[in-house]
Amino acid sequence: VELLDVLGVNYACVVGHEYGAAVAQALAVRWPQRVVRLGLVCPAAYDEWPVRELRLARGMLPLTRHLPPTFLLGMLRKELQRGYTDRPGERAGERSIARFLRPFRTAEGRDALVAHLEALDSAETTQLAPRLRDLPMPTAVLCGAHDPFVPPAVGERLVADIPEATLEVIADGRHFLPEEAPRAVADAVARLIAR
């Protein structure tokens, strides 16, 4: 909201992916007059996140803090790879994953990653859940049919709770839809804006 104020934007179409979608939900619930359209892509919502693997990683944080950064990044690389669709002859998302992991290669980076893992908490999205039914704005929910982190059932639940919500499931999509299916995401946002 402060950023919108600084930019002189009174209201906006707000679209977020995963944790960004959780932030978008919070913005829409707390400042509905500032959000005219809401887009939730592979959304973290309710108490459905973080996924089991991240919950396990959080439980192991006392040990994780002492792991070599390269070992921790290897585990994270493998986990992130599950969110991409492999295509024949290529490992999807390799460049994106490498770019994402680059800042975490040092001991300081490992500490920042551990702090990020500690901060992953579904308490806020759980508290928002009862207020979703009061959202007045048109809302589009996009999910990947094969998303290992946010299953389409989360999108179905959001659509059941948000009065003006629609659901689109990308048939061959996984988790990183903005990268893997940018045209489908852009088209869905265009339809949302036109509503």
Side-chain angles (χ1 to χ4, degrees):
V1 169
E2 288 178 17
L3 176 61
L4 292 175
D5 290 343
V6 167
L7 295 174
V9 176
N10 293 325
Y11 49 86
C13 174
V14 176
V15 179
H17 175 263
E18 193 187 65
Y19 304 135
V23 172
Q25 291 169 65
L27 183 63
V29 164
R30 293 190 179 115
W31 293 277
Q33 72 281 8
R34 303 298 292 269
V35 180
V36 293
R37 304 280 187 281
L38 181 62
L40 307 173
V41 183
C42 304
Y46 307 107
D47 62 352
E48 303 281 342
W49 68 281
V51 294
R52 184 179 60 85
E53 291 79 6
L54 284 178
R55 289 179 185 165
L56 289 172
R58 285 182 63 193
M60 297 174 54
L61 283 177
L63 171 63
T64 305
R65 293 181 196 287
H66 304 291
L67 292 173
T70 53
F71 181 79
L72 186 58
L73 292 183
M75 292 182 350
L76 186 55
R77 177 182 303 279
K78 185 176 179 183
E79 186 63 15
L80 289 173
Q81 188 67 46
R82 292 188 324 120
Y84 286 92
T85 303
D86 280 331
R87 291 178 174 80
E90 70 175 86
R91 292 195 63 183
E94 266 313 303
R95 268 188 283 194
S96 295
I97 293 171
R99 194 169 44 245
F100 173 74
L101 295 178
R102 190 174 303 133
F104 305 113
R105 290 189 293 203
T106 65
E108 294 83 14
R110 177 204 53 219
D111 294 344
L113 182 59
V114 167
H116 175 70
L117 289 173
E118 287 177 325
L120 296 177
D121 186 358
S122 62
E124 186 168 0
T125 51
T126 301
Q127 291 171 355
L128 292 173
R131 297 181 60 195
L132 294 175
R133 68 177 172 269
D134 299 327
L135 293 180
M137 71 284 300
T139 301
V141 180
L142 278 76
C143 297
H146 307 288
D147 189 333
F149 308 131
V150 181
V154 173
E156 292 167 3
R157 188 172 169 193
L158 283 165
V159 168
D161 286 346
I162 301 172
E164 295 294 321
T166 60
L167 175 64
E168 184 173 341
V169 178
I170 308 300
D172 59 349
R174 290 183 73 79
H175 185 68
F176 296 105
L177 292 180
E179 284 185 71
E180 293 198 304
R183 172 54 53 201
V185 173
D187 289 347
V189 171
R191 286 191 298 275
L192 174 64
I193 291 170
R195 283 173 54 193

